[in-house]
Amino acid sequence: MFGEMLKKLRKERKMTQSQLAELFGYSHVAVVKWENGTREPDFNTLIKLSDYFGVSIDYMITGKNKESEEKTDKDKYLKEIIKIFNAIGTEDRAYCLGFIVGVLQKRGIDVQAILENKE
């Protein structure tokens, strides 16, 4: 999986294997072996690669990133909510917001604290 992810990330940056190798001080052959799965980089190089590509080590190794998946879900729901809110009138928006607040309060969530949090 690491090799597939490295190749994907490298190609997204439109880099050749030689360019990646030179950037990190390795031979072209080393990158070829990483990508085809016959060798793996040492841990320090793995950290540098994940930093360079802006992904977690978990993502480099497994192709999955829990934080990324949660953000994608959150973004998807947020887009759907915005689309709905844009399609309805002010009175319906207030009703929907009141409904959401009521559900959250029944679940013991402090909605006021959420609304006051200015992130």
Side-chain angles (χ1 to χ4, degrees):
M1 179 59 74
F2 167 77
E4 294 170 22
M5 295 312 303
L6 179 61
K7 185 174 185 177
K8 175 183 175 285
L9 293 166
R10 176 182 59 78
K11 287 188 170 194
E12 285 175 1
R13 294 257 178 135
K14 300 185 183 342
M15 294 179 77
T16 65
Q17 291 172 326
S18 295
Q19 289 169 326
L20 183 64
E22 185 177 330
L23 183 66
F24 287 92
Y26 286 92
S27 69
H28 170 260
V29 174
V31 174
V32 169
K33 288 181 178 184
W34 294 344
E35 288 187 1
N36 70 23
T38 57
R39 297 283 312 256
E40 293 178 352
D42 61 63
F43 190 67
N44 288 329
T45 302
L46 182 59
I47 292 170
K48 289 176 187 175
L49 287 166
S50 68
D51 285 345
Y52 176 76
F53 288 113
V55 298
S56 68
I57 293 173
D58 182 46
Y59 183 78
M60 290 286 301
I61 296 171
T62 67
K64 296 179 182 177
N65 185 336
K66 188 171 191 251
E67 292 172 8
S68 173
E69 290 171 7
E70 288 175 0
K71 184 179 183 323
T72 300
D73 278 352
K74 190 188 309 183
D75 290 347
K76 181 185 111 186
Y77 292 129
L78 187 57
K79 285 178 185 175
E80 290 174 1
I81 290 169
I82 291 170
K83 190 181 275 188
I84 290 168
F85 267 59
N86 285 336
I88 61 178
T90 304
E91 188 176 315
D92 290 330
R93 287 181 193 145
Y95 177 80
C96 289
L97 186 57
F99 177 78
I100 291 169
V101 168
V103 168
L104 295 175
Q105 287 173 336
K106 283 183 183 176
R107 292 179 176 225
I109 296 171
D110 186 353
V111 176
Q112 194 61 39
I114 293 170
L115 294 173
E116 290 173 0
N117 187 4
K118 296 183 171 103
E119 291 184 34

